[in-house]
Each structure stands twice: as C-alpha cells, then as structure tokens.
Amino acid sequence: MTSLIIIALIGALAFWDEAPWQSENGPSTVEPVVITDARSGSTLATRLTGPVRVVDGDTIRLGAHRIRLHGIDAPESDQACLDPQGAPWACGDAATERLSDLIGDDPVYCSERDIDRYQRIIGECFADGSNLNAALVAEGFAFAYRRFSLDYAALEDEAREARRGIWAGTVQAPWDHRRDPQHVVIPDVGATGSTSAAQDAGSGLQPPGDCVIKGNINRGGERIYHTPDSHSYSRTRIDESRGEHWFCTEEEARAAGWRAPRG
C-alpha cells in the first residue's frame, strides 16, 4: 500500500510539472481590466494587458486582440521613403522595428478608445510607462492621423521641424500609399535632397497646420472637398489663388459651400 501511495504521489507531481498552466512555453494570457466610474458604476474603458506581438508600425496583437494604435498612421510595411540624398529606404520596416524596440521585453497595456470598421480595437498603448503612440510620432516614425485625432499633431509638427525619421527626406502619406501602392509621390527636390514645408505648401501638397481637408474647384466650377481617405485626395492640389481652400472639418467645408465627392 505504501508503495502505491508513493507511486501515485510521483505521478501527481509529474502531472503538475507538465500541466499547461505551469509550462514556461505555454500560451500567455491577456487580462482585460474594466475601468468604471466610481460614482455611477458605468464602464469608462476596457484595458488589455499582457505580452505582445508587433504586426507593423501602428498595429499590435495582444492575445487574440488586434489593436490599431489610436491617432497615428505609420508607413506601410511595403512602403519606401527617400532619404535626404534622394535614395530609397524601407521606412515601413523601420517603423515596425522601432515599435518592437520601444516595447522590448516589457508587457504592454492598452486602453481601448474605439472599435473600427474592421473590428480592430483602437487603443492607446504603453510599455514601461512610455506612450507608444506618442513616441512613434515624436521620433518621426509615424504621422499624426489628423483625420481621426489631433492628439499627436503637435508632436508631428516638432518632428517635421527637426527632420526626424521619415521627415528627414521625402515620405508619402500612408493613406495615399494604401490607395495606390504602385504610385509613389516624389516631389521635386532641391540641393539638400528634400522639399521644405513652405515649398510643399506652395504646391498644394502640404496643409497649413491641422486642416487637412482639400476644398477643390473643378473645371465645371463645382466646389468639392476631399478628405484624406477620398479616392482623389492624393491627386488634388490646392491653389488658393483660384479660390480653393483648406478646411479643418467636413462641417466647415459644407458650410462654406463645398460638397463631398459623388460615388
């Protein structure tokens, strides 16, 4: 009987050592944390925390959750930029690598801000106390996605002024690249190998400040505004001498007499 008890104990210990919840190589868990209002008890936000896998420069996975970083848009994985000498470099891959470096081996937690049309969580994410969304924009590895949020617009302006990362040379907006991956917008470059913000603004490429909606007047005299995800946005140039205009919101454009494009 004693021998049987010893054998049973040894078997139980072996099972405990090999159980999935004890295995070092077992699946990692992601813990949702619901943040509530202390007064009303209503849900304010959901926070996800746990180990992470980087998908690209503005997207990560926490367990089964695919999370798009709120308020930013990084170059796509297949996208190239031009350096100050006009030579191409893989800025999309560089943005992905920088996000991985910012995370390192630290756990990540994200506060859910929204759910997009692809059912991805839109989140503000942190690792080792650092705001990953803000860091990517501040270091010049992502645009502030001004169509959806101005949270990081000032950081982008600073990065542009300092010519950090993608702003050191020439970069195509990721939303333009997604619409037409085969078409690369390469404006004329000067002696330094890059265009200045003033040159871009003068050619209708660069919006003044945070107002990115293009108010165009077509050949028939129709006033049509184009948001960054409009089909013709990348081909539209604004000539203010012809009465064309930049707008901050669609409501502002409509109030001024411009309409959205048809189709």
Side-chain angles (χ1 to χ4, degrees):
M1 178 64 70
T2 303
S3 298
L4 290 174
I5 293 173
I6 292 173
I7 291 171
L9 288 172
I10 291 172
L13 290 172
F15 172 77
W16 180 263
D17 286 340
E18 293 301 320
W21 56 84
Q22 288 291 317
S23 172
E24 291 181 358
N25 297 321
S28 301
T29 59
V30 175
E31 300 178 0
V33 179
V34 177
I35 302 171
T36 58
D37 187 314
R39 295 181 178 179
S40 66
S42 61
T43 299
L44 296 178
T46 299
R47 190 178 80 171
L48 300 171
T49 181
V52 65
R53 182 171 72 83
V54 174
V55 177
D56 57 32
D58 52 36
T59 310
I60 63 175
R61 276 193 178 276
L62 280 178
H65 301 282
R66 190 177 180 93
I67 300 176
R68 178 70 155 76
L69 298 185
H70 158 76
I72 78 170
D73 199 3
E76 296 296 316
S77 297
D78 63 345
Q79 188 172 344
C81 299
L82 299 182
D83 68 14
Q85 287 71 46
W89 63 288
C91 55
D93 288 343
T96 303
E97 291 172 8
R98 184 55 187 149
L99 180 54
S100 296
D101 290 343
L102 286 168
I103 294 171
D105 296 325
D106 295 310
V108 171
Y109 71 86
C110 299
S111 293
E112 179 182 318
R113 302 286 293 267
D114 202 356
I115 302 292
D116 71 7
R117 59 180 174 172
Y118 305 109
Q119 298 305 302
R120 295 176 301 185
I121 293 172
I122 304 299
E124 191 169 31
C125 298
F126 300 81
D128 193 28
S130 174
N131 184 321
L132 300 175
N133 310 45
L136 288 166
V137 176
E139 294 183 17
F141 286 100
F143 287 70
Y145 210 170
R146 300 171 193 244
R147 170 166 168 71
F148 298 101
S149 171
L150 298 178
D151 286 355
Y152 309 111
L155 291 176
E156 182 195 292
D157 292 341
E158 292 174 9
R160 282 175 180 262
E161 182 67 24
R163 296 194 175 278
R164 299 187 196 115
I166 57 179
W167 308 115
T170 302
V171 58
Q172 183 183 32
W175 48 86
D176 287 337
H177 178 80
R178 288 191 291 271
R179 272 198 299 273
D180 188 1
Q182 303 304 315
H183 177 64
V184 180
V185 176
I186 304 178
D188 294 334
V189 296
T192 62
S194 63
T195 60
S196 68
Q199 287 173 316
D200 286 346
S203 64
L205 291 170
Q206 179 66 34
D210 300 330
C211 301
V212 299
I213 297 176
K214 297 178 178 180
N216 177 245
I217 301 175
N218 68 13
R219 293 179 181 177
E222 292 182 289
R223 299 186 173 196
I224 304 170
Y225 69 81
H226 301 273
T227 61
D229 58 358
S230 298
H231 179 70
S232 300
Y233 187 85
S234 61
R235 299 195 301 270
T236 302
R237 300 292 180 266
I238 298 304
D239 183 354
E240 293 182 311
S241 68
R242 295 182 57 241
E244 295 179 328
H245 197 69
W246 292 93
F247 295 103
C248 300
T249 66
E250 292 185 64
E251 291 76 12
E252 180 187 356
R254 287 193 292 267
W258 267 258
R259 65 165 176 81
R262 298 190 179 96

